[in-house]
Amino acid sequence: MHSPEKVGKSMFDSNRFQRLQQAPLWDFALTFYAQPGVEQACLVLQDSAGVDVCELLVHSWLYHYGLQVTPGALSMERKARECWQQSVTAVLRQLRRDLKPQAAESEGIAQLRKTLQQAELQAERENLQRWQHWILQTSELNQRLTNCAISKQDVAQWLQSKLFSDGLAFDQVVVSPERENVREAIAILAERLDRYERPR
């Protein structure tokens, strides 16, 4: 049996790419994140496994259109996007969380937390827009995408392979008590992705 990664390494379909160009990543992210169980699954992966939810949404968006990022290209762009997340988004998120106890006793602090939440959301939107801009720059000379031909039973394994380089990396990043919760979260996301009807 072929692994999901090997099956997915097929030719680049320009028709799929054209459909992707007409489908903003942000719109997909809002719709997918609102699906039952997706938000909680994303938070589990973020807090228990250090997963960048923006990158997760990028993989989900591409999968929806039958595409995936090539490993080499992903590795380089991931570093740039991690820099943004750590220096901007994560800082805003931590400030918002740190102020939660005080917000219960102060209307002013509660309003400040709402402002920080809006800023955090805008930072994530900016990050997704940068991902999209990078992806849509793909070409025959600078090919960053390949077709994604993953069977439904392999989606969870495929998604895990995109978020973690291999099984060893997964075991190193996710501590033992959290592994089952993380795998369950990935399974929920895979199920929700399969509920989408892929564009023809």
Side-chain angles (χ1 to χ4, degrees):
M1 177 179 291
H2 297 293
S3 70
E5 192 65 27
K6 289 181 179 178
V7 173
K9 287 185 178 177
S10 52
M11 295 179 62
F12 174 68
D13 187 330
S14 60
N15 290 327
R16 297 181 186 186
F17 184 62
Q18 288 175 3
R19 289 192 287 269
L20 185 76
Q21 290 176 307
Q22 300 170 11
L25 171 56
W26 179 248
D27 291 349
F28 171 85
L30 291 178
T31 302
F32 184 64
Y33 200 75
Q35 299 301 306
V38 170
E39 179 179 0
Q40 183 58 36
C42 287
L43 292 177
V44 168
L45 291 173
Q46 174 183 275
D47 295 339
S48 299
V51 168
D52 178 357
V53 173
C54 286
E55 183 186 330
L56 187 158
L57 291 170
V58 168
H59 292 307
S60 300
W61 175 58
L62 290 173
Y63 170 83
H64 181 52
Y65 288 90
L67 296 166
Q68 63 181 342
V69 182
T70 59
L74 174 62
S75 178
M76 295 181 63
E77 184 62 14
R78 177 182 277 161
K79 293 179 181 179
R81 301 282 57 81
E82 284 179 348
C83 182
W84 173 268
Q85 289 293 78
Q86 292 171 5
S87 63
V88 181
T89 310
V91 173
L92 293 168
R93 180 182 301 125
Q94 192 58 52
L95 283 171
R96 176 176 58 80
R97 290 179 173 180
D98 289 346
L99 289 173
K100 186 175 182 178
Q102 299 177 51
E105 302 175 356
S106 168
E107 181 61 32
I109 298 298
Q111 187 58 47
L112 176 58
R113 285 191 76 242
K114 290 181 180 179
T115 301
L116 287 170
Q117 187 175 34
Q118 293 172 351
E120 181 185 343
L121 184 63
Q122 185 60 39
E124 290 179 332
R125 182 171 187 172
E126 174 64 24
N127 196 32
L128 287 173
Q129 288 176 334
R130 294 185 181 196
W131 269 113
Q132 177 175 294
H133 176 72
W134 176 78
I135 287 169
L136 296 184
Q137 285 182 322
T138 193
S139 67
E140 292 184 3
L141 297 177
N142 182 24
Q143 197 164 111
R144 295 165 177 170
L145 304 176
T146 60
N147 288 357
C148 179
I150 306 298
S151 61
K152 288 188 175 183
Q153 61 267 29
D154 288 331
V155 175
Q157 184 182 346
W158 171 83
L159 188 57
Q160 180 174 314
S161 75
K162 289 298 179 184
L163 300 174
F164 306 94
S165 57
D166 52 39
L168 179 60
F170 178 85
D171 290 339
Q172 289 175 337
V173 171
V174 186
V175 296
S176 182
E178 299 291 342
R179 285 175 192 161
E180 191 58 37
N181 289 337
V182 169
R183 288 195 176 97
E184 182 179 347
I186 292 174
I188 289 172
L189 293 173
E191 180 185 0
R192 289 300 167 189
L193 279 173
D194 278 337
R195 289 178 180 271
Y196 273 84
E197 181 178 353
R198 285 191 176 183
R200 299 297 179 185

